[in-house]
Amino acid sequence: MIPTFLKKSLFNKSTRKSLATSKTAATPPINRLYRKLSGQALDVAVKVQHMGELPTFDNRDEVLTFYVLQEYSRSNSLLIDLQTQEHHLPPALQPVKDAVHQIDENAAMIFLHHPKARDRQLSPRLSRLVSAVLQNPELTIQLVPVSILWGRAPEKEDSLFKLLMSDNWQDPSILKQLFNIGVMGRDTFVQFHTPRDLRELVNEHLIGGEDSAAASIVKDSSHALVPVADSNIALVSSLQLQLNTYLDKQRASMIGPDLSDRRNLVEKLIHSPAIAHAIQAEAEREGITVTEARAVAKGYANEMVNDYSYPVIRACERFLTWLWTQLYDGVDVHHFERVRELATDHEIIYVPSHRSHVDYLLLSYAIYKQGLSIPYIAAGDNLNVPVLGPFLRGAVAFFIRRSFRGNHLYSAVLREYMHTLITRSTPIEYFIEGGRSRSGRLLPPKMGLLSMTVHSQLRQMNKPVVFIPTYIGYERIMEGGTYIGELKGKPKESESLMGLLKVSRKIERIFGHVHLSFGTPLHIEDFMKKYDVKAGSLPAGRTDSPFDANMMTMIDNIGIKIMQNINKAAVINPVSLLSLVLLSSPKSALDEEVCRDQISLYQDIARQIPYADDTTVTDMTPQAIIEYGIKLKLIERTPHILGDIIQVAGKQAPLLSYFRNNILHVFILLSFIAALVARNGRIKRSRLDNIVTQLYPFLQSELFLHYPAHGLMAVLNQKIDNLIAHGLIVDLGDDVLGAPEANTSSYQKLEVLAAPVEQSLERYFLTLALLAQQGSGNLTAEEAVDLCHLLGQRLSVLYADDIPDFFDRALFISFINALIRLDYLTPDSETGVLHFDQRIDDIAHHAKYVLNPDMMQILQQVASLDEDDIAHAITEISNKKQRKFGRKR
């Protein structure tokens, strides 16, 4: 479940008591009785969900608090009064009296649309409070904007219901109030927004000199702003407009934009200038009529466009609330307030990591429960099947094909649909990795939907786009066993919820906690400034306008930054820590005391030199972490007279490698430093720096590390100093670093810390050895990846305890691409074969400083393939790919 926020008492007991006695006495008994009975009845009929965290109030006795609502109604008044009582806030329906400043209000509520404001359309109470602030420089009044939603269904465009129940009636309708309470009462939401000082708001409007009200204001001898005449209509009107606009934006961020009927949306999409141009081009390209091309385009639009259904959303919320309660001990949300702050004035694009089918359900559920509009989700068309497809479409999924390369019309329709959503300020969610990660590492970003997002923004900017990188971390996943099988060559299972349910039956329902961590937002405007890309630089009526070189570089950079910010928002949870420690130990087992010490070491390092400000470290004690792992049946304790042994439970090692890889990036540089010191006994600091610097770009590419190359030395020095402080490295002087004495606890900790980087370096050396032995100009990039993948599988089965990292083809692709990007490899423009020089051997030379001689010998042997081996392997791989492609078709 989404954790309930603590209800902090903002007043001490004595203050609350004095407020209650002094102000209640001023309320006539008949009014008190009416409010009490009405409040009790409303409390029974209405179930309120509070959204967001309670803001921090100024709780000084001399500060007067007023709540600002848009619409006046008795039900709204009573509802807010009940909420202020429940959350121990300044009471809403008690009189507010201040004889010194001549304030005498019968309630602490300001209604921007009030029936008594017919003549000038100004709130009478707001007018009085503004005058009081202008006349009394020592008076402090805080305004607390409040949003009330009787239901969260977006309104329909051109809806008769919207007309009948609209909020712009001059008088509050009893029918409307009864409808709100009777029909929507169990689906009511309230949010208290950040308080604002009324004096600050007034000064903002006056100091700029832009309001006509400024002409009627002067300063007296005490430098207080006071009205010259008895009217400050323009000032109050401006303030009221500002508050009303603020609450309108908050409402829009909570329920989303008004909905267009799906059929009308498809028609508008197909008849837009951009699609009309694409249809004409398709007709000419394919030799068909415009009518036929339009019918094809309409079919594409019907295939992808969603069909928002509030009843479906409510049903999903109830079902998922039950499901998360059954599956998880808790769903922990981190850093969400930064999203809430941006939601009103930005087009939000959520770009989460993709590790499970649960991701899109979990993320949308959390966003909805946190009080923001549910995002429209880009889903694969493999989920668009009978029964399930319409249901997901109603839950704001829009379906896209996995591949549409070369289909210009489909691409145009999808681009225009994305542009329509973005210009309507609809929040969107898509998985930039494309598919689910099978290894626990982030996958390289796919640029399709990202480039469409940028294309829309360069055509027309309604609201500036901001990307929200989101880290999703599990402690167990339903598809774990399936992932391991797929990495080892089993056919990929269909990505469907039915497949998920099938898997869930095979796994015990103990899944621990889930963590959603919202990373540092990335504003598209910052990238546009960096790469000198101007808004409106693409024609508004076209979907096929090409990007120039600057734009392409900008898109690539946005993609990498998104991945880096996802990793920066990582949560180091108990299971990932246990996995990192135990899988780095011989036979995946440690003495329990040693295990505790190693976990404590990782926690200390992660807190003392955080990977990033957004990175979160579990606050569980090492012993509690061990007990938690046993509870989840991932590890087990073996009693022994000389001390209990903690080891990975049977057949869980491959699965635990997945969770280790979730946080591998946090500790990889520490591991590299530890490996260089441990394998050499002593090493010059300058040599260590040179080796890390040369190999860092490959680790950075694989794990999306955020440290820039130009600042790497400072990072290394900080980490080395930290390891020295922990006693894991010894400063021997004269620029020499050494390992602790063998057989000491410090040396054992260093050995465990050194292990995680070794598998990455083993893959690198395996690839380099294969390239060197085959020679320059003999293998294409694809052939090199395929052969390395085969060799990695063989190595893992024979020598690496069947850990699935070597089975992950994406890791070899990443390394080969990094070698090409850094000009170590040059593909031939015609044949595609890779050319290289002595520098390949120079990189491989560094392996001897990290890998032990036995492993280097094994890697050399495994990589020794003759021409017949190569030819046979390439033929078999080619045949397998053809069979797989045939099945897909």
Side-chain angles (χ1 to χ4, degrees), residues 177-245:
Q177 292 184 54
L178 291 176
F179 176 85
N180 284 343
I181 296 170
V183 178
M184 310 303 291
R186 311 303 289 177
D187 191 23
T188 302
F189 302 83
V190 171
Q191 182 173 357
F192 293 90
H193 302 291
T194 304
R196 289 295 307 272
D197 187 295
L198 179 57
R199 186 175 305 280
E200 291 180 359
L201 290 174
V202 168
N203 289 343
E204 287 174 6
H205 285 264
L206 298 181
I207 294 175
E210 298 178 358
D211 289 289
S212 58
S216 62
I217 303 293
V218 297
K219 289 186 178 181
D220 65 9
S221 58
S222 64
H223 302 286
L225 295 169
V226 296
V228 172
D230 61 354
S231 174
N232 50 9
I233 295 175
L235 174 60
V236 176
S237 178
S238 181
L239 284 172
Q240 185 162 315
L241 177 62
Q242 178 184 350
L243 291 168
N244 200 56
T245 301

Side-chain angles (χ1 to χ4, degrees), residues 14-298:
S14 61
T15 302
R16 292 201 304 271
K17 183 176 180 181
S18 63
L19 283 171
T21 55
S22 63
K23 295 181 178 179
T24 303
T27 305
I30 187 64
N31 287 357
R32 294 203 304 271
L33 178 61
Y34 168 75
R35 290 174 181 176
K36 180 178 180 180
L37 295 177
S38 300
Q40 289 175 346
L42 194 68
D43 200 25
V44 172
V46 175
K47 180 182 178 181
V48 177
Q49 298 182 48
H50 184 263
M51 298 188 294
E53 296 188 30
L54 288 174
T56 301
F57 282 60
D58 188 336
N59 59 2
R60 291 175 296 164
D61 291 341
E62 63 269 22
V63 175
L64 305 182
T65 300
F66 288 85
Y67 302 95
V68 181
L69 285 77
Q70 286 187 296
E71 305 299 330
Y72 169 80
S73 75
R74 293 176 180 85
S75 52
N76 283 350
S77 301
L78 292 170
L79 185 65
I80 296 306
D81 189 52
L82 290 172
Q83 286 292 293
T84 56
Q85 292 177 40
E86 178 181 344
H87 297 291
H88 307 293
L89 304 178
L93 283 183
Q94 296 294 343
V96 180
K97 297 182 180 296
D98 186 337
V100 175
H101 301 106
Q102 299 181 339
I103 292 177
D104 185 4
E105 302 293 339
N106 61 9
M109 305 185 74
I110 297 172
F111 296 100
L112 300 179
H113 302 155
H114 198 283
K116 295 181 179 179
R118 290 173 182 164
D119 295 337
R120 297 183 300 184
Q121 295 299 309
L122 296 181
S123 166
R125 182 165 290 147
L126 180 61
S127 299
R128 292 193 295 270
L129 294 179
V130 168
S131 296
V133 165
L134 292 171
Q135 294 168 1
N136 301 282
E138 74 284 356
L139 175 62
T140 302
I141 296 175
Q142 62 179 346
L143 303 184
V144 183
V146 183
S147 295
I148 301 178
L149 302 179
W150 296 89
R152 290 176 65 182
E155 294 178 332
K156 297 276 189 179
E157 294 178 342
D158 305 322
S159 165
L160 178 61
F161 179 82
K162 177 181 176 181
L163 176 63
L164 293 175
M165 303 307 297
S166 64
D167 281 336
N168 55 13
W169 291 6
Q170 287 188 345
D171 293 310
S173 165
I174 294 177
L175 173 63
K176 179 182 174 182
Q177 292 184 54
L178 291 176
F179 176 85
N180 284 343
I181 296 170
V183 178
M184 310 303 291
R186 311 303 289 177
D187 191 23
T188 302
F189 302 83
V190 171
Q191 182 173 357
F192 293 90
H193 302 291
T194 304
R196 289 295 307 272
D197 187 295
L198 179 57
R199 186 175 305 280
E200 291 180 359
L201 290 174
V202 168
N203 289 343
E204 287 174 6
H205 285 264
L206 298 181
I207 294 175
E210 298 178 358
D211 289 289
S212 58
S216 62
I217 303 293
V218 297
K219 289 186 178 181
D220 65 9
S221 58
S222 64
H223 302 286
L225 295 169
V226 296
V228 172
D230 61 354
S231 174
N232 50 9
I233 295 175
L235 174 60
V236 176
S237 178
S238 181
L239 284 172
Q240 185 162 315
L241 177 62
Q242 178 184 350
L243 291 168
N244 200 56
T245 301
Y246 174 84
L247 287 171
D248 277 341
K249 289 182 177 180
Q250 294 296 332
R251 179 182 177 86
S253 72
M254 295 174 192
I255 65 175
D258 289 354
L259 298 177
S260 176
D261 179 79
R262 184 171 184 271
R263 181 176 59 82
N264 291 334
L265 180 58
V266 169
E267 290 298 326
K268 291 177 183 177
L269 196 65
I270 297 307
H271 290 90
S272 66
I275 297 302
H277 180 273
I279 288 171
Q280 182 67 42
E282 179 76 2
E284 296 174 1
R285 187 166 44 245
E286 299 297 326
I288 58 177
T289 67
V290 170
T291 301
E292 290 172 327
R294 184 178 294 110
V296 173
K298 187 172 182 178

